[in-house]
Amino acid sequence: MITLEYKGKQLVNFTKKELKDSGVPDEIINQAMIEEKWSQIKVKREKLLFSTDYTQFDDSPLTIEKKADFAIYRQALRDLPQNYSNADDIDWPQMPQI
């Protein structure tokens, strides 16, 4: 489902066909689809970062080495949008073993 604004109207949860049938140009639909992919990637990335926050706390039960491994992993997650120009090409970093 695609959400976008076109000619002052907010079009929410439309299929590509519905948008085309409504007269929305292909380039606007395609851009909205790209933005939606990036939005989903950022949501997944934020969940992964949140789930590993505890690894960086001072009172974390992890060893210094494991904390460092998780710090590298978390930085790789943060760098995803800058390191990829195409959302379909993303190679997600592997979470370190605890």
Side-chain angles (χ1 to χ4, degrees):
M1 300 308 272
I2 306 166
T3 298
L4 57 82
E5 186 172 325
Y6 180 66
K7 291 189 175 182
K9 293 182 182 178
Q10 187 73 17
L11 304 171
V12 180
N13 292 330
F14 280 71
T15 65
K16 186 174 183 176
K17 182 181 181 331
E18 289 170 331
L19 290 170
K20 287 181 83 155
D21 291 348
S22 297
V24 179
D26 283 341
E27 59 271 6
I28 292 175
I29 296 170
N30 292 337
Q31 184 60 38
M33 291 172 65
I34 290 168
E35 289 171 6
E36 179 61 27
K37 283 182 186 180
W38 280 110
S39 178
Q40 291 172 2
I41 287 166
K42 289 176 183 176
V43 167
K44 179 179 177 178
R45 179 190 67 177
E46 291 304 313
K47 287 179 182 178
L48 291 170
L49 284 167
F50 180 77
S51 73
T52 58
D53 278 349
Y54 79 95
T55 67
Q56 301 305 296
F57 296 153
D58 290 335
D59 62 351
S60 171
L62 300 178
T63 65
I64 292 171
E65 294 80 13
K66 284 293 179 186
K67 278 183 157 182
D69 290 345
F70 273 96
I72 292 167
Y73 166 72
R74 290 166 54 82
Q75 188 60 54
L77 288 173
R78 286 188 203 93
D79 292 342
L80 283 175
Q82 296 84 9
N83 290 341
Y84 292 92
S85 58
N86 185 338
D88 293 326
D89 293 339
I90 287 188
D91 183 20
W92 290 89
Q94 292 296 312
M95 184 183 300
Q97 296 289 327
I98 296 181

